[in-house]
Amino acid sequence: MPNPAVFVPHFHWDREWYEPFQVFRHRLVAALDTVLETAETDPDFRFTVDGQMAAIEDYLEMRPENRDRVAALVAEGRLAVGPWLILLDEFLCSGETIVRNLRMGWAVAAGLGGAMPVGYLPDMFGHVAQMPQILARAGIEHAALWRGVPGSVDGHAFNWRAPDGSQVRTEFLFDGYDNGLDVLLVPDRIGRALGDYAEMTAERWGGDPVLAMAGTDHNAPDPQLASWLRQAADEGRAITIATLDEYLRKHVRDEVSAVVTGELRSHVRGNILPGVLSVRLGLKQRMAVAERTIDHAERMNALWSRRDDSPFLDLAWHKIIESTAHDSVVGSGTDETCDQVAARLAEAAQAARAVRDAALTEPAELVPSDGYLVANPLPFDRSVLVEVDVVAPPEGTALIATAADDSTAPVQLISEAPTVLSDERMDASQLERVLRRIHRRELFGRQIDHYELTPGALVFHLAEVPTAGPFDLLILRREVAAAAAEHPGEWRVLTLEEARATALVPVSVPASGLASFRVEPSDHASAAVPSAHAPASATDRALSNGLVEVAVAADGTLDLTGPDGTVLHGVGRLVDGGDRGDSYNYAPPAHDILVSEPTEIAVEVVENGPLRARLRVTRVYEWPTALSADRDLRSEQTVPTPVETLVEVRAGEPFVRVSTSFLNQSADHRLRFHVPLPERVTTSASAGQFAVTERGLTAEGGWGEYPLPTFPAGSFVSAGAATVLLDHSSEYELVGDGSELAITLLRAIGSISVNIHPLRDEPAASEIPVPGAQDLGMRIENRFAVVPSVTGWRGANAVALAEEFRNDVLVTRGTAPAGRQLPPDTPGLRVDGKDVLVSAVRRVTDDEHGPGTEARLTAMSDRAATTVSVTGSFSEAATVDLLGRTISRTQVRDELELALGPWEIRTVVLR
């Protein structure tokens, strides 16, 4: 007897892609109009809205009058909405963003009657290892997906297990999310076509009904669909129409034998399009900035502000989550679309920055205006360096930084500003125009300390903090008018600023806490750094800080020595090759030319310590300007391209900071930064989305896409004795049979998709030109840090180091009257535990329990148990799930002890 079939009408909706958002939304409104009309006309019709609430939000913004119609269908179970806000690219955002996506989508769906409790992930380009735990800790028992499933799965379902052991039953859409469409091609022959399909795929289904996903991209199902299926059922086929949730709850076995653990990045049953990890670098960097800014804003608002700025934070989160869509941050859209994504991410960062800065103005009111407030966003004590603008010391005098406890520390001057801001000559009749520049007391961004008015000359003396008495602009205007009348002719107007400099100051800040300092002259200041650290120093071609050493080799690469004596030779070898691929997949031209040797090398000392030492290595390369017309060769025409590498060590840091910068003048190419390894390795590991994932030298192929072993990395990547801390999501590969780690700095291409691709059988989209993806004329900058350690990422404490590298402290000027005593250091929330990631600290409130502080912690380790201590000011702790629902509560006093299992995500609310 043939398998029965369950048809799930749906569409997949890319919010923006080969057209910008508003164009796609116009189509969306028409499609959902059709869906509502069909559902209200035909009671057998069901519809699944792609698992993402953004489609419903976007629709109701244009059709607010239809909200009750949507809610009625949701209440009847005939319209399945949620649980996500948007279908995201899981590898190109943080784990915390994934959680907020689910939480925000669930809340929006609740307002319409409730979310579909299915982790529907139909078209993502692979899936992160911790997704089963994220779903399970939100109470979701089922997932459904297509891409990335390994060849070991031979049925239509498997148990997907996260590193912590959590698992969800997962429906494998092995023929894609549109497998039912072929059956529907000839409406009066559906029964025969369904029989053929069921027979061809019988081994997959076993005794379960065939799942026929009846939908595709950007189109509503035909309004006659239910009628066609009723006719086929009348002809003897067992056919049901259902939502995806109904199929999983009512029609299939819960028990499945296949188990898959960890991330899904196999190419065996579908293209995972790994080139999206590296195309349009700017979007990846903007995402990292937006995520980091909102994280800091939430922490500052929760810990140091009396004002609840949740509406601004919700706005910022919504814009970030919108931008994670799997055709948005990936950069596979048109230039027009990608410009909109970049603008949205910038707007998110701006909203978050406003909240962050406003929160810091409150504690800054306790710090004198000749001092600085420093806020630590991380939940552990830190010793950091901050750059501040200070009054330059008189010649022969040094500067020191004084903390609240009267301890002092040396200051490193790194630049001095000009003191003459303007020197102008004008007729006396024009002096009034100069006075219009003054706004109350502000002039050129500074404050007028005092002025000198003599016949033929007006001199302004500016200061950041005036020390002279009151300033009266009306009196100045009267005096200038009188002087101009008495002394006509040419006048000199001179604007002078007090001598200023940029200073590098060492500061100790408590966990999630505040510290303050002021910089002042001292005749007895020492040039030494604090005794706990050796000084940072630079010579012509070397850097050292007592922990790490850098030597610049003859070819401009770096030899790095770590704290344990591990040596990495040749770090920073740049390899540039052609790329005839597209936004989805890299492809080398048939006859590639790799450029790895510079034509010129120059090294200069930028700073020589004692707190920070820097070298700038400039290497000039002759890179081909583009590909040939047939795209099989790189052009013989080359352009000299200087690449600046700024290398830095800081006192007390066990890693070397590296940043690269160049003006891109070449098209169709890929540039990678190589880190040679002391010994060949067979595995690498990268951190991202609540896990550190280990990978080999190859990837599983078998579909129509060559399985390049290029992989994603979030906060760090480690291979053998080299760990690289990252500023943003990046792409890496182990090359040379495991002898080198290569990190992509730029992939410049000119088409969304190409029809004929050497490493992919079928087009990924239409062949639409995207000249903006070449990044021509753009300055390409990357920053990272290298940790040489034979003990690998675990022994090097890479989880904590990556957080320190990514998260600078926040510095703002005090606003209390100058000269007052500095306030004492103030600790915030403290978390102690090895390899524990704190991904969120934020203000929450609910009607039952009132306000509290939510913290999310993850054990980034496979140890049997990780002991974590959370200390702060609280008397109750509640464990909640990822949707904020209380699991348990306990009474505590300022300290909470937790035991986290391997890779466990735990969320607590402290009150």
Side-chain angles (χ1 to χ4, degrees), residues 179-251:
N179 69 316
L181 291 186
D182 288 347
V183 173
L184 302 173
L185 283 175
V186 184
D188 60 359
R189 297 182 183 178
I190 289 175
R192 179 201 56 76
L194 180 59
D196 290 345
Y197 181 75
E199 182 179 350
M200 287 187 295
T201 58
E203 291 184 0
R204 288 276 182 185
W205 302 111
D208 287 335
V210 172
L211 172 61
M213 298 293 290
T216 188
D217 295 1
H218 321 137
N219 286 285
D222 193 292
Q224 299 301 311
L225 174 62
S227 175
W228 298 342
L229 294 177
R230 281 193 296 268
Q231 179 181 341
D234 290 343
E235 295 169 357
R237 299 298 311 189
I239 293 175
T240 304
I241 302 177
T243 64
L244 181 61
D245 179 36
E246 288 174 324
Y247 172 78
L248 295 174
R249 286 190 293 107
K250 299 179 180 179
H251 296 281

Side-chain angles (χ1 to χ4, degrees), residues 14 46 79 260 534 628 823:
D14 299 295
R46 303 284 195 275
L79 189 68
V260 178
S628 60

